[in-house]
Amino acid sequence: MTETRWLTAEQLSAWKKLIAVVELLPGTLESQLQRDSGLSHFEYFTLAMLSEAPDRTLRMTSLAAHTNATLARLSHVVSRLEKRGLVRREACAEDRRATNAVLTPAGWTTVVAAAPGHVGTVRETVIDPLTTADVADLDRIMGRILEVLDPSHVMVGAPTTDD
Amino acid sequence: MTETRWLTAEQLSAWKKLIAVVELLPGTLESQLQRDSGLSHFEYFTLAMLSEAPDRTLRMTSLAAHTNATLARLSHVVSRLEKRGLVRREACAEDRRATNAVLTPAGWTTVVAAAPGHVGTVRETVIDPLTTADVADLDRIMGRILEVLDPSHVMVGAPTTDD
DNA sequence: ACCAAATACTTGACGCTACAACTATTAGGC
DNA sequence: GCCTAATAGTTGTAGCGTCAAGTATTTGGT
């Protein structure tokens, strides 16, 4: 066991601010979405991923990867969304172990209605306080961190619009 | 109601990466602390804040602010930490409505033992992948975002070491 | 062709957090 | 000095996520 390498003052400052953002940001997004659309951020994100998929359909495993959830968590969430009529489950023809999650028309309507308010919050809290250069820096830095947290790039791929 | 201003490609890219980090980072920290020290990140953070306070003592309201928790949440957590002998509650002499949370010797030992492993994880996932310039950029950018999320700077102040 | 291991989920139980309701104490208005 | 409002904290409940266990199907070795 080698000696602990502590953080420099600059590193500590940056770290503390990052952790503060990580703690505060989810709550902010959560409140706005819950208040205006009755969705948790994870529910919104799930619907958004489906809305971008071909046929608005995704296998559970794939959807779990895109939303960074365990299969168990996703299964519970999809059950709730299904009860509310926003998502439908469908047996997969090619692999009978698999289940497809399909966005219903009501689900589509819900995401589309929720999107502007959500984007507004994202702007207010993150994008608008930053300059163009800041945004580029943020992109680069988060990219480097994700190289470690998500080496297989499961959560980055989606090159479409929305969210 | 004005029209929705959507995000540019650059903004969207940066946003998606930030949200991925926000989703993935807590789980990583959580796992390491739980595995190596039997603490949740919030419990660790609570103990760490107490360890930096004068007399290792803080009023519940103040501790709640430093950890960005509601009083209700903190009360539950302190109850559990108290059962494990890491924290002690103490009536406040000046204001009899108030309660002080005090770090016990066992609590101090626990944080001190947990810190190196935690810092190691922080290094691996966030600091080491970044250049010196990146760290400065990160500090600046998170600072701007916190200006919105935490205008009263409740979560930033603590100028001491640790964590 | 067969059997073990891997894959793709689902379900139930438990722990933690948010929300609401409640108690106790202090501060302010007049 | 009252009486109301604000402050400080605790507790119970309900909802969501994790973990462990279980089912169904497919893959791969021989």
Side-chain angles (χ1 to χ4, degrees):
Chain A
M1 181 118 115
T2 60
E3 252 180 77
T4 304
R5 292 163 55 223
W6 297 99
L7 301 181
T8 66
E10 293 77 22
Q11 291 170 339
L12 188 59
S13 171
W15 165 251
K16 284 193 172 183
K17 286 176 187 163
L18 174 61
I19 201 84
V21 169
V22 165
E23 293 286 324
L24 292 171
L25 191 51
T28 304
L29 302 177
E30 207 74 32
S31 307
Q32 180 273 323
L33 277 169
Q34 194 63 53
R35 175 168 40 79
D36 297 346
S37 310
L39 293 170
S40 71
H41 182 248
F42 184 76
E43 288 171 338
Y44 172 81
F45 203 74
T46 302
L47 298 180
M49 288 303 117
L50 282 177
S51 76
E52 294 178 1
D55 295 327
R56 295 171 191 170
T57 300
L58 237 34
R59 296 258 290 254
M60 292 293 282
T61 301
S62 172
L63 184 53
H66 283 299
T67 56
N68 182 43
T70 61
L71 220 35
R73 178 183 182 187
L74 183 65
S75 185
H76 286 303
V77 171
V78 167
S79 294
R80 282 172 236 140
L81 291 174
E82 206 173 11
K83 265 177 203 138
R84 293 164 62 182
L86 305 180
V87 166
R88 178 166 47 82
R89 269 189 241 247
E90 183 180 87
C92 180
E94 301 96 35
D95 186 339
R96 293 194 326 211
R97 292 170 301 183
T99 308
N100 285 325
V102 187
L103 192 66
T104 64
W108 172 260
T109 306
T110 301
V111 213
V112 169
H118 178 60
V119 172
T121 307
V122 170
R123 277 206 167 283
E124 284 164 32
T125 56
V126 176
I127 300 297
D128 285 348
L130 301 182
T131 68
T132 305
D134 286 340
V135 171
D137 290 338
L138 181 63
D139 189 80
R140 186 189 73 248
I141 291 169
M142 293 300 132
R144 293 205 171 139
I145 295 175
L146 283 178
E147 226 42 69
V148 181
L149 292 177
D150 178 30
S152 48
H153 299 276
V154 179
M155 275 199 78
V156 294
T160 41
T161 57
D162 241 24
D163 190 73
Chain B
M1 177 119 121
T2 61
E3 250 180 81
T4 305
R5 291 163 55 224
W6 297 99
L7 302 182
T8 67
E10 293 77 21
Q11 290 171 338
L12 187 60
S13 172
W15 165 250
K16 284 194 171 183
K17 286 175 187 163
L18 175 61
I19 200 87
V21 169
V22 166
E23 294 285 324
L24 293 170
L25 192 52
T28 304
L29 303 176
E30 206 75 31
S31 307
Q32 182 272 323
L33 278 168
Q34 194 64 51
R35 175 167 40 79
D36 298 344
S37 311
L39 294 170
S40 72
H41 183 248
F42 184 75
E43 288 170 339
Y44 172 79
F45 203 76
T46 302
L47 297 180
M49 288 304 116
L50 281 177
S51 76
E52 296 177 359
D55 295 326
R56 296 174 192 169
T57 299
L58 237 35
R59 297 259 290 253
M60 292 294 281
T61 300
S62 172
L63 185 53
H66 282 299
T67 56
N68 182 42
T70 60
L71 219 36
R73 179 185 181 185
L74 183 65
S75 184
H76 286 301
V77 170
V78 167
S79 295
R80 283 173 235 140
L81 292 174
E82 206 173 13
K83 267 178 202 139
R84 294 164 60 182
L86 306 179
V87 166
R88 178 167 46 83
R89 269 187 242 247
E90 185 180 85
C92 181
E94 300 97 37
D95 186 338
R96 292 197 324 213
R97 292 170 299 181
T99 307
N100 285 327
V102 187
L103 191 65
T104 65
W108 171 261
T109 306
T110 301
V111 214
V112 169
H118 179 59
V119 172
T121 307
V122 170
R123 277 205 166 281
E124 284 165 31
T125 57
V126 175
I127 300 296
D128 286 347
L130 302 182
T131 67
T132 305
D134 286 340
V135 172
D137 290 338
L138 181 62
D139 189 80
R140 185 188 74 247
I141 291 168
M142 293 302 131
R144 294 207 169 138
I145 295 175
L146 282 178
E147 235 26 81
V148 181
L149 292 177
D150 178 31
S152 49
H153 299 276
V154 179
M155 274 198 81
V156 295
T160 43
T161 56
D162 240 24
D163 190 72

